[in-house]
PDB file of all heavy atoms in Angstrom:
ATOM      1  N   THR A 961     -38.733  33.062  26.167  1.00 97.00           N
ATOM      2  CA  THR A 961     -38.744  34.272  26.980  1.00 97.00           C
ATOM      3  C   THR A 961     -40.178  34.774  27.105  1.00 97.00           C
ATOM      4  O   THR A 961     -41.033  34.456  26.275  1.00 97.00           O
ATOM      5  CB  THR A 961     -37.868  35.378  26.358  1.00 97.00           C
ATOM      6  OG1 THR A 961     -38.146  35.481  24.951  1.00 97.00           O
ATOM      7  CG2 THR A 961     -36.399  35.066  26.556  1.00 97.00           C
ATOM      8  N   ASP A 964     -43.127  40.097  27.842  1.00 94.00           N
ATOM      9  CA  ASP A 964     -42.611  41.442  28.096  1.00 94.00           C
ATOM     10  C   ASP A 964     -41.090  41.500  28.137  1.00 94.00           C
ATOM     11  O   ASP A 964     -40.511  42.516  28.547  1.00 94.00           O
ATOM     12  CB  ASP A 964     -43.174  41.972  29.424  1.00 94.00           C
ATOM     13  CG  ASP A 964     -44.696  42.103  29.392  1.00 94.00           C
ATOM     14  OD1 ASP A 964     -45.228  42.462  28.319  1.00 94.00           O
ATOM     15  OD2 ASP A 964     -45.343  41.832  30.426  1.00 94.00           O
ATOM     16  N   SER A 965     -40.438  40.447  27.738  1.00 96.00           N
ATOM     17  CA  SER A 965     -38.979  40.441  27.745  1.00 96.00           C
ATOM     18  C   SER A 965     -38.418  41.385  26.694  1.00 96.00           C
ATOM     19  O   SER A 965     -39.032  41.595  25.635  1.00 96.00           O
ATOM     20  CB  SER A 965     -38.457  39.024  27.481  1.00 96.00           C
ATOM     21  OG  SER A 965     -37.054  39.019  27.345  1.00 96.00           O
ATOM     22  N   ILE A 966     -37.248  41.945  26.982  1.00 94.00           N
ATOM     23  CA  ILE A 966     -36.579  42.793  25.990  1.00 94.00           C
ATOM     24  C   ILE A 966     -35.822  41.937  24.969  1.00 94.00           C
ATOM     25  O   ILE A 966     -35.245  42.473  24.021  1.00 94.00           O
ATOM     26  CB  ILE A 966     -35.620  43.784  26.661  1.00 94.00           C
ATOM     27  CG1 ILE A 966     -34.508  43.035  27.417  1.00 94.00           C
ATOM     28  CG2 ILE A 966     -36.362  44.730  27.582  1.00 94.00           C
ATOM     29  CD1 ILE A 966     -33.435  43.952  27.968  1.00 94.00           C
ATOM     30  N   LYS A 967     -35.820  40.634  25.190  1.00 94.00           N
ATOM     31  CA  LYS A 967     -35.141  39.704  24.288  1.00 94.00           C
ATOM     32  C   LYS A 967     -36.144  38.709  23.700  1.00 94.00           C
ATOM     33  O   LYS A 967     -37.115  38.359  24.340  1.00 94.00           O
ATOM     34  CB  LYS A 967     -34.045  38.920  25.017  1.00 94.00           C
ATOM     35  CG  LYS A 967     -32.937  39.753  25.627  1.00 94.00           C
ATOM     36  CD  LYS A 967     -31.910  38.852  26.296  1.00 94.00           C
ATOM     37  CE  LYS A 967     -30.755  39.642  26.878  1.00 94.00           C
ATOM     38  NZ  LYS A 967     -29.726  38.751  27.487  1.00 94.00           N
ATOM     39  N   ILE A 969     -35.836  35.003  22.566  1.00 98.00           N
ATOM     40  CA  ILE A 969     -34.944  33.844  22.547  1.00 98.00           C
ATOM     41  C   ILE A 969     -35.767  32.586  22.282  1.00 98.00           C
ATOM     42  O   ILE A 969     -36.836  32.400  22.864  1.00 98.00           O
ATOM     43  CB  ILE A 969     -34.167  33.714  23.868  1.00 98.00           C
ATOM     44  CG1 ILE A 969     -33.302  34.975  24.072  1.00 98.00           C
ATOM     45  CG2 ILE A 969     -33.291  32.469  23.875  1.00 98.00           C
ATOM     46  CD1 ILE A 969     -32.529  34.997  25.370  1.00 98.00           C
ATOM     47  N   PRO A1172     -24.372  33.529  31.181  1.00 97.00           N
ATOM     48  CA  PRO A1172     -25.546  34.394  31.107  1.00 97.00           C
ATOM     49  C   PRO A1172     -26.180  34.373  29.713  1.00 97.00           C
ATOM     50  O   PRO A1172     -25.515  34.079  28.714  1.00 97.00           O
ATOM     51  CB  PRO A1172     -24.968  35.777  31.416  1.00 97.00           C
ATOM     52  CG  PRO A1172     -23.538  35.694  31.004  1.00 97.00           C
ATOM     53  CD  PRO A1172     -23.115  34.280  31.260  1.00 97.00           C
ATOM     54  N   GLY A1173     -27.465  34.683  29.634  1.00 97.00           N
ATOM     55  CA  GLY A1173     -28.155  34.720  28.355  1.00 97.00           C
ATOM     56  C   GLY A1173     -28.099  33.391  27.633  1.00 97.00           C
ATOM     57  O   GLY A1173     -28.207  32.321  28.234  1.00 97.00           O
ATOM     58  N   THR A1174     -27.874  33.454  26.319  1.00 98.00           N
ATOM     59  CA  THR A1174     -27.797  32.215  25.537  1.00 98.00           C
ATOM     60  C   THR A1174     -26.520  31.436  25.827  1.00 98.00           C
ATOM     61  O   THR A1174     -26.356  30.313  25.341  1.00 98.00           O
ATOM     62  CB  THR A1174     -27.883  32.518  24.028  1.00 98.00           C
ATOM     63  OG1 THR A1174     -26.851  33.446  23.671  1.00 98.00           O
ATOM     64  CG2 THR A1174     -29.228  33.108  23.665  1.00 98.00           C
ATOM     65  N   PHE A1199     -25.879  31.972  36.350  1.00 98.00           N
ATOM     66  CA  PHE A1199     -26.679  32.379  35.188  1.00 98.00           C
ATOM     67  C   PHE A1199     -27.241  33.774  35.423  1.00 98.00           C
ATOM     68  O   PHE A1199     -27.644  34.118  36.531  1.00 98.00           O
ATOM     69  CB  PHE A1199     -27.822  31.403  34.947  1.00 98.00           C
ATOM     70  CG  PHE A1199     -28.803  31.867  33.896  1.00 98.00           C
ATOM     71  CD1 PHE A1199     -28.454  31.856  32.558  1.00 98.00           C
ATOM     72  CD2 PHE A1199     -30.068  32.334  34.252  1.00 98.00           C
ATOM     73  CE1 PHE A1199     -29.351  32.290  31.586  1.00 98.00           C
ATOM     74  CE2 PHE A1199     -30.967  32.770  33.281  1.00 98.00           C
ATOM     75  CZ  PHE A1199     -30.604  32.745  31.946  1.00 98.00           C
ATOM     76  N   GLY A1200     -27.291  34.566  34.358  1.00 97.00           N
ATOM     77  CA  GLY A1200     -27.845  35.906  34.460  1.00 97.00           C
ATOM     78  C   GLY A1200     -28.610  36.306  33.224  1.00 97.00           C
ATOM     79  O   GLY A1200     -28.367  35.788  32.123  1.00 97.00           O
ATOM     80  N   ASN A1201     -29.560  37.223  33.407  1.00 97.00           N
ATOM     81  CA  ASN A1201     -30.363  37.786  32.326  1.00 97.00           C
ATOM     82  C   ASN A1201     -31.090  38.998  32.922  1.00 97.00           C
ATOM     83  O   ASN A1201     -31.011  39.244  34.130  1.00 97.00           O
ATOM     84  CB  ASN A1201     -31.343  36.739  31.778  1.00 97.00           C
ATOM     85  CG  ASN A1201     -31.165  36.510  30.280  1.00 97.00           C
ATOM     86  OD1 ASN A1201     -30.454  37.248  29.604  1.00 97.00           O
ATOM     87  ND2 ASN A1201     -31.817  35.491  29.754  1.00 97.00           N
ATOM     88  N   PRO A1202     -31.848  39.771  32.139  1.00 96.00           N
ATOM     89  CA  PRO A1202     -32.470  40.965  32.714  1.00 96.00           C
ATOM     90  C   PRO A1202     -33.490  40.703  33.824  1.00 96.00           C
ATOM     91  O   PRO A1202     -33.407  41.300  34.895  1.00 96.00           O
ATOM     92  CB  PRO A1202     -33.114  41.636  31.496  1.00 96.00           C
ATOM     93  CG  PRO A1202     -32.277  41.193  30.337  1.00 96.00           C
ATOM     94  CD  PRO A1202     -31.892  39.779  30.661  1.00 96.00           C
ATOM     95  N   ASN A1203     -34.485  39.829  33.578  1.00 96.00           N
ATOM     96  CA  ASN A1203     -35.582  39.682  34.542  1.00 96.00           C
ATOM     97  C   ASN A1203     -35.870  38.217  34.865  1.00 96.00           C
ATOM     98  O   ASN A1203     -35.913  37.369  33.976  1.00 96.00           O
ATOM     99  CB  ASN A1203     -36.873  40.322  34.001  1.00 96.00           C
ATOM    100  CG  ASN A1203     -36.699  41.803  33.693  1.00 96.00           C
ATOM    101  OD1 ASN A1203     -36.630  42.180  32.518  1.00 96.00           O
ATOM    102  ND2 ASN A1203     -36.601  42.617  34.721  1.00 96.00           N
ATOM    103  N   PHE A1204     -36.124  37.944  36.137  1.00 96.00           N
ATOM    104  CA  PHE A1204     -36.421  36.581  36.578  1.00 96.00           C
ATOM    105  C   PHE A1204     -37.680  36.048  35.898  1.00 96.00           C
ATOM    106  O   PHE A1204     -37.684  34.931  35.366  1.00 96.00           O
ATOM    107  CB  PHE A1204     -36.609  36.566  38.105  1.00 96.00           C
ATOM    108  CG  PHE A1204     -37.054  35.243  38.654  1.00 96.00           C
ATOM    109  CD1 PHE A1204     -36.131  34.251  38.959  1.00 96.00           C
ATOM    110  CD2 PHE A1204     -38.405  34.969  38.854  1.00 96.00           C
ATOM    111  CE1 PHE A1204     -36.542  33.022  39.459  1.00 96.00           C
ATOM    112  CE2 PHE A1204     -38.817  33.747  39.349  1.00 96.00           C
ATOM    113  CZ  PHE A1204     -37.888  32.774  39.652  1.00 96.00           C
ATOM    114  N   GLU A1205     -38.763  36.831  35.911  1.00 95.00           N
ATOM    115  CA  GLU A1205     -40.035  36.340  35.391  1.00 95.00           C
ATOM    116  C   GLU A1205     -40.033  36.188  33.875  1.00 95.00           C
ATOM    117  O   GLU A1205     -40.744  35.342  33.336  1.00 95.00           O
ATOM    118  CB  GLU A1205     -41.174  37.273  35.818  1.00 95.00           C
ATOM    119  CG  GLU A1205     -41.456  37.259  37.316  1.00 95.00           C
ATOM    120  CD  GLU A1205     -42.675  38.103  37.671  1.00 95.00           C
ATOM    121  OE1 GLU A1205     -43.224  38.760  36.742  1.00 95.00           O
ATOM    122  OE2 GLU A1205     -43.068  38.118  38.844  1.00 95.00           O
ATOM    123  N   GLN A1206     -39.242  36.986  33.184  1.00 97.00           N
ATOM    124  CA  GLN A1206     -39.276  36.993  31.719  1.00 97.00           C
ATOM    125  C   GLN A1206     -38.147  36.168  31.076  1.00 97.00           C
ATOM    126  O   GLN A1206     -38.326  35.646  29.981  1.00 97.00           O
ATOM    127  CB  GLN A1206     -39.171  38.441  31.201  1.00 97.00           C
ATOM    128  CG  GLN A1206     -40.211  39.384  31.748  1.00 97.00           C
ATOM    129  CD  GLN A1206     -41.619  39.029  31.312  1.00 97.00           C
ATOM    130  OE1 GLN A1206     -41.828  38.544  30.196  1.00 97.00           O
ATOM    131  NE2 GLN A1206     -42.589  39.265  32.180  1.00 97.00           N
ATOM    132  N   ASP A1207     -37.010  36.053  31.773  1.00 97.00           N
ATOM    133  CA  ASP A1207     -35.796  35.600  31.082  1.00 97.00           C
ATOM    134  C   ASP A1207     -35.039  34.462  31.763  1.00 97.00           C
ATOM    135  O   ASP A1207     -33.859  34.263  31.498  1.00 97.00           O
ATOM    136  CB  ASP A1207     -34.825  36.778  30.929  1.00 97.00           C
ATOM    137  CG  ASP A1207     -35.461  37.997  30.289  1.00 97.00           C
ATOM    138  OD1 ASP A1207     -35.990  37.859  29.178  1.00 97.00           O
ATOM    139  OD2 ASP A1207     -35.424  39.078  30.915  1.00 97.00           O
ATOM    140  N   PHE A1208     -35.678  33.726  32.640  1.00 97.00           N
ATOM    141  CA  PHE A1208     -34.995  32.600  33.280  1.00 97.00           C
ATOM    142  C   PHE A1208     -35.093  31.409  32.334  1.00 97.00           C
ATOM    143  O   PHE A1208     -36.030  30.608  32.383  1.00 97.00           O
ATOM    144  CB  PHE A1208     -35.642  32.279  34.623  1.00 97.00           C
ATOM    145  CG  PHE A1208     -34.849  31.340  35.488  1.00 97.00           C
ATOM    146  CD1 PHE A1208     -35.209  31.126  36.809  1.00 97.00           C
ATOM    147  CD2 PHE A1208     -33.728  30.666  35.004  1.00 97.00           C
ATOM    148  CE1 PHE A1208     -34.486  30.257  37.622  1.00 97.00           C
ATOM    149  CE2 PHE A1208     -32.994  29.805  35.794  1.00 97.00           C
ATOM    150  CZ  PHE A1208     -33.373  29.596  37.112  1.00 97.00           C
ATOM    151  N   LEU A1209     -34.109  31.283  31.451  1.00 98.00           N
ATOM    152  CA  LEU A1209     -34.151  30.277  30.400  1.00 98.00           C
ATOM    153  C   LEU A1209     -34.068  28.869  30.983  1.00 98.00           C
ATOM    154  O   LEU A1209     -33.212  28.584  31.827  1.00 98.00           O
ATOM    155  CB  LEU A1209     -32.995  30.495  29.414  1.00 98.00           C
ATOM    156  CG  LEU A1209     -32.863  31.892  28.798  1.00 98.00           C
ATOM    157  CD1 LEU A1209     -31.720  31.926  27.792  1.00 98.00           C
ATOM    158  CD2 LEU A1209     -34.171  32.344  28.160  1.00 98.00           C
ATOM    159  N   ALA A1229     -28.280  36.024  38.566  1.00 97.00           N
ATOM    160  CA  ALA A1229     -28.053  37.467  38.510  1.00 97.00           C
ATOM    161  C   ALA A1229     -29.010  38.073  37.497  1.00 97.00           C
ATOM    162  O   ALA A1229     -28.715  38.102  36.296  1.00 97.00           O
ATOM    163  CB  ALA A1229     -26.599  37.766  38.122  1.00 97.00           C
ATOM    164  N   PHE A1230     -30.170  38.547  37.991  1.00 97.00           N
ATOM    165  CA  PHE A1230     -31.144  39.201  37.096  1.00 97.00           C
ATOM    166  C   PHE A1230     -30.956  40.704  37.245  1.00 97.00           C
ATOM    167  O   PHE A1230     -31.359  41.318  38.231  1.00 97.00           O
ATOM    168  CB  PHE A1230     -32.557  38.737  37.430  1.00 97.00           C
ATOM    169  CG  PHE A1230     -32.775  37.290  37.090  1.00 97.00           C
ATOM    170  CD1 PHE A1230     -32.769  36.314  38.078  1.00 97.00           C
ATOM    171  CD2 PHE A1230     -32.928  36.894  35.771  1.00 97.00           C
ATOM    172  CE1 PHE A1230     -32.932  34.976  37.769  1.00 97.00           C
ATOM    173  CE2 PHE A1230     -33.093  35.557  35.442  1.00 97.00           C
ATOM    174  CZ  PHE A1230     -33.098  34.594  36.441  1.00 97.00           C
ATOM    175  N   SER A1231     -30.303  41.281  36.253  1.00 96.00           N
ATOM    176  CA  SER A1231     -29.739  42.627  36.377  1.00 96.00           C
ATOM    177  C   SER A1231     -30.778  43.713  36.612  1.00 96.00           C
ATOM    178  O   SER A1231     -30.482  44.713  37.269  1.00 96.00           O
ATOM    179  CB  SER A1231     -28.923  42.949  35.120  1.00 96.00           C
ATOM    180  OG  SER A1231     -29.729  42.869  33.952  1.00 96.00           O
ATOM    181  N   ARG A1232     -32.002  43.545  36.122  1.00 93.00           N
ATOM    182  CA  ARG A1232     -32.981  44.640  36.192  1.00 93.00           C
ATOM    183  C   ARG A1232     -34.075  44.402  37.217  1.00 93.00           C
ATOM    184  O   ARG A1232     -35.090  45.108  37.205  1.00 93.00           O
ATOM    185  CB  ARG A1232     -33.582  44.868  34.802  1.00 93.00           C
ATOM    186  CG  ARG A1232     -32.521  45.187  33.746  1.00 93.00           C
ATOM    187  CD  ARG A1232     -33.096  45.733  32.468  1.00 93.00           C
ATOM    188  NE  ARG A1232     -32.055  45.981  31.488  1.00 93.00           N
ATOM    189  CZ  ARG A1232     -32.234  46.629  30.335  1.00 93.00           C
ATOM    190  NH1 ARG A1232     -33.452  47.081  30.020  1.00 93.00           N
ATOM    191  NH2 ARG A1232     -31.234  46.818  29.495  1.00 93.00           N
ATOM    192  N   ASP A1233     -33.887  43.448  38.092  1.00 93.00           N
ATOM    193  CA  ASP A1233     -34.898  43.176  39.113  1.00 93.00           C
ATOM    194  C   ASP A1233     -34.679  43.984  40.380  1.00 93.00           C
ATOM    195  O   ASP A1233     -35.405  43.816  41.363  1.00 93.00           O
ATOM    196  CB  ASP A1233     -34.910  41.686  39.464  1.00 93.00           C
ATOM    197  CG  ASP A1233     -35.693  40.875  38.443  1.00 93.00           C
ATOM    198  OD1 ASP A1233     -36.335  41.484  37.565  1.00 93.00           O
ATOM    199  OD2 ASP A1233     -35.655  39.632  38.514  1.00 93.00           O
ATOM    200  N   GLN A1234     -33.691  44.857  40.384  1.00 93.00           N
ATOM    201  CA  GLN A1234     -33.419  45.732  41.521  1.00 93.00           C
ATOM    202  C   GLN A1234     -32.802  47.016  40.983  1.00 93.00           C
ATOM    203  O   GLN A1234     -32.447  47.101  39.807  1.00 93.00           O
ATOM    204  CB  GLN A1234     -32.502  45.058  42.535  1.00 93.00           C
ATOM    205  CG  GLN A1234     -31.138  44.672  42.016  1.00 93.00           C
ATOM    206  CD  GLN A1234     -31.151  43.412  41.194  1.00 93.00           C
ATOM    207  OE1 GLN A1234     -31.717  42.397  41.599  1.00 93.00           O
ATOM    208  NE2 GLN A1234     -30.548  43.470  40.011  1.00 93.00           N
ATOM    209  N   LYS A1237     -27.825  47.243  39.296  1.00 94.00           N
ATOM    210  CA  LYS A1237     -27.705  46.100  38.400  1.00 94.00           C
ATOM    211  C   LYS A1237     -26.682  45.101  38.933  1.00 94.00           C
ATOM    212  O   LYS A1237     -25.629  45.472  39.447  1.00 94.00           O
ATOM    213  CB  LYS A1237     -27.303  46.551  36.995  1.00 94.00           C
ATOM    214  CG  LYS A1237     -28.407  47.348  36.288  1.00 94.00           C
ATOM    215  CD  LYS A1237     -28.042  47.693  34.863  1.00 94.00           C
ATOM    216  CE  LYS A1237     -29.192  48.430  34.183  1.00 94.00           C
ATOM    217  NZ  LYS A1237     -28.885  48.794  32.782  1.00 94.00           N
ATOM    218  N   VAL A1238     -27.040  43.826  38.814  1.00 96.00           N
ATOM    219  CA  VAL A1238     -26.196  42.739  39.293  1.00 96.00           C
ATOM    220  C   VAL A1238     -25.948  41.775  38.141  1.00 96.00           C
ATOM    221  O   VAL A1238     -26.887  41.378  37.440  1.00 96.00           O
ATOM    222  CB  VAL A1238     -26.860  41.988  40.468  1.00 96.00           C
ATOM    223  CG1 VAL A1238     -25.974  40.838  40.927  1.00 96.00           C
ATOM    224  CG2 VAL A1238     -27.130  42.936  41.619  1.00 96.00           C
ATOM    225  N   TYR A1239     -24.675  41.398  37.954  1.00 97.00           N
ATOM    226  CA  TYR A1239     -24.302  40.509  36.866  1.00 97.00           C
ATOM    227  C   TYR A1239     -23.590  39.266  37.426  1.00 97.00           C
ATOM    228  O   TYR A1239     -23.264  39.205  38.613  1.00 97.00           O
ATOM    229  CB  TYR A1239     -23.391  41.234  35.865  1.00 97.00           C
ATOM    230  CG  TYR A1239     -24.036  42.450  35.252  1.00 97.00           C
ATOM    231  CD1 TYR A1239     -23.736  43.729  35.702  1.00 97.00           C
ATOM    232  CD2 TYR A1239     -24.968  42.320  34.218  1.00 97.00           C
ATOM    233  CE1 TYR A1239     -24.325  44.856  35.134  1.00 97.00           C
ATOM    234  CE2 TYR A1239     -25.571  43.426  33.648  1.00 97.00           C
ATOM    235  CZ  TYR A1239     -25.249  44.696  34.113  1.00 97.00           C
ATOM    236  OH  TYR A1239     -25.856  45.795  33.560  1.00 97.00           O
TER     237      TYR A1239
END
Side-chain angles (χ1 to χ4, degrees):
T961 46
D964 297 324
S965 174
I966 62 173
K967 300 181 178 182
I969 299 178
T1174 56
F1199 172 73
N1201 237 350
N1203 302 106
F1204 174 85
E1205 292 185 356
Q1206 305 295 326
D1207 307 304
F1208 192 170
L1209 307 183
F1230 292 102
S1231 59
R1232 302 194 182 189
D1233 279 352
Q1234 61 282 311
K1237 292 184 178 180
V1238 179
Y1239 301 101

